[in-house]
Amino acid sequence: LTLFIDPIDGTREFSTGKGEECSICIGFANKDGHPVAGLVYRPITNPPTWAAGANSEGYFKAQLHHNSDGNDDGKGQLLTSNGSISPFLELLM
């Protein structure tokens, strides 16, 4: 098992006063290098937000902020480290 830790994912955002857009990312990979579990945690948001999962265990839990307008379109939510979504992720959604 290999452990990957990014203690401040979003360093640029953190250093420019956007700490609420920073995350602590922890990932686990098996001996073949394939991802098996992970955690994304935003400690500076109020309340803190997080998402964790392990696909092989069928486990996923999260505490994410909802849209401020209360409009939940039923598509689920995506936790990003810098508050933005890349064009690649937009195509997947």
Side-chain angles (χ1 to χ4, degrees):
L1 191 63
T2 302
L3 172 67
F4 298 90
I5 300 175
D6 187 346
I8 305 179
D9 183 35
T11 306
R12 181 180 325 132
E13 290 79 11
F14 184 80
S15 66
T16 58
K18 297 178 181 175
E20 70 281 352
E21 295 180 4
C22 300
S23 302
I24 298 169
C25 300
I26 301 172
F28 300 89
N30 64 18
K31 64 181 179 171
D32 299 319
H34 297 121
V36 294
L39 167 72
V40 177
Y41 177 60
R42 280 191 176 166
I44 299 177
T45 58
N46 187 15
T49 55
W50 58 271
N55 195 36
S56 65
E57 302 293 322
Y59 176 82
F60 176 79
K61 289 206 180 226
Q63 175 62 49
L64 303 173
H65 289 297
H66 296 284
N67 295 336
S68 60
D69 63 5
N71 183 16
D72 183 1
D73 61 8
K75 293 183 180 178
Q77 297 180 358
L78 178 66
L79 181 65
T80 64
S81 63
N82 66 1
S84 65
I85 299 173
S86 72
F88 173 75
L89 286 177
E90 285 183 12
L91 288 172
L92 294 176
M93 297 186 336

